[in-house]
Amino acid sequence: MTSRRAALKTLTGSAVSLSLTDSFATSATQPEITALKLKGRINHSVCRWCYSKIPLDDLCKAAKEMGIKSIDLTGPEEWPVLKKHGLTSALPQGAGKGIADGFNNPKFHDELVASYEAIFPKLKEAGLNTVICFSGNRRGMSNEEGLENCAVGLKRLMPSAEKHGITMIMELLNSKVDHKDYMADHTAWGVELCKRVGSENFKLLYDIYHMQIMEGDIIRTIRESSKYIGHYHTGGNPGRNELDETQEIYYPAVMKAIVDTGFKGYVAQEFIPKRDPLTSLREAVVLCDV
């Protein structure tokens, strides 16, 4: 199955072919819909790779109508398009070696450090202040060894990240269904890494879909770990599809818990639509706008 893993191999946010519905052509010809009036307590974003069949200009226009302020996982060549539409990228990409080859392996540290140090000034110039990163796969490594290796590699980058005002955000992913062998697959591991790195310029991407699969107890975890979380992603479980009655996560309660922590960052929709993609996206924004 085509996945975000494949999309991230290029680390540029370029379009990939996904098994999404082909109904966008119908949506594109419909009359312009009234812009949503949102409550303003959630900063809404959307992940580019889930809507890769939609031209970026068209996705930006639709996002603006829905009150979405950002498009996640975009690369440097896409940032000018977002800026043209008055959007930002709350969690950009453009550095690193992908999901499997990350900071838990010292043999990648020199390459990773060079890659992120090269993207920091580009991010700053574009007015962006975060970038995604990954732990890498275990490959037989213990949790403790992986923690120490990641901390060593990330600490090398913190002076430059702090200088440029960039927060590196490591994604928590499930290793049960989608990303076999991925190391940062539990919140507690990620929180411990944040403590060892010891900088406000390193935080976690709490992906609600992934952490529901690995550990559940989402609301309690968000409340207890909020100071270490810099970004959120959504997705219906099981299946990573629409946030509707077919899945088990009650998103209004989760969103309220996020708001109650005082979180001022972004929540990005990261589900693969099975129906008309823009209709599903609009419905998800409304559902999550608590």
Side-chain angles (χ1 to χ4, degrees), residues 198-244:
S199 171
E200 286 298 310
N201 290 72
F202 177 73
K203 291 188 179 294
L204 303 174
L205 162 51
Y206 186 87
D207 189 302
I208 298 160
Y209 158 78
H210 287 296
M211 290 302 96
Q212 170 69 3
I213 290 172
M214 293 305 298
E215 59 192 29
D217 205 15
I218 292 170
I219 290 175
R220 189 196 317 271
T221 301
I222 287 171
R223 288 171 177 165
E224 293 179 351
S225 307
S226 61
K227 68 178 290 186
Y228 303 104
I229 297 172
H231 200 73
Y232 289 90
H233 279 173
T234 74
N237 186 57
R240 198 181 194 153
N241 303 123
E242 278 85 350
L243 315 188
D244 60 16

Side-chain angles (χ1 to χ4, degrees), residues 23-164:
S23 59
F24 174 65
T26 301
S27 297
T29 60
Q30 292 177 350
E32 184 175 330
I33 55 178
T34 304
L36 289 176
K37 293 182 180 179
L38 303 178
K39 296 182 178 70
R41 303 206 310 161
I42 295 286
N43 290 315
H44 297 273
S45 185
V46 59
C47 291
R48 172 65 178 136
W49 74 274
C50 300
Y51 300 85
S52 62
K53 284 190 174 183
I54 301 176
L56 185 56
D57 268 305
D58 293 333
L59 181 60
C60 288
K61 291 173 186 176
K64 288 282 286 186
E65 289 177 346
M66 297 178 200
I68 294 172
K69 302 176 182 178
S70 157
I71 299 183
D72 274 22
L73 304 179
T74 54
E77 78 290 345
E78 295 169 306
W79 300 338
V81 180
L82 273 58
K83 186 176 182 180
K84 179 180 71 174
H85 292 278
L87 299 175
T88 188
S89 186
L91 188 59
Q93 60 187 30
K97 294 174 60 64
I99 292 172
D101 297 336
F103 284 92
N104 66 349
N105 194 327
K107 77 176 184 179
F108 299 134
H109 281 183
D110 287 348
E111 187 177 351
L112 288 169
V113 168
S115 178
Y116 280 95
E117 286 187 336
I119 201 71
F120 288 163
K122 295 179 182 177
L123 289 161
K124 184 176 181 180
E125 184 179 357
L128 306 176
N129 60 11
T130 65
V131 66
I132 195 168
C133 65
F134 301 96
S135 67
N137 287 357
R138 291 176 180 276
R139 299 183 173 99
M141 190 179 299
S142 71
N143 279 333
E144 177 58 31
E145 185 180 0
L147 279 169
E148 189 56 33
N149 290 343
C150 282
V152 168
L154 288 162
K155 282 181 178 180
R156 289 175 57 182
L157 280 164
M158 287 304 101
S160 182
E162 290 164 4
K163 172 186 172 183
H164 289 94

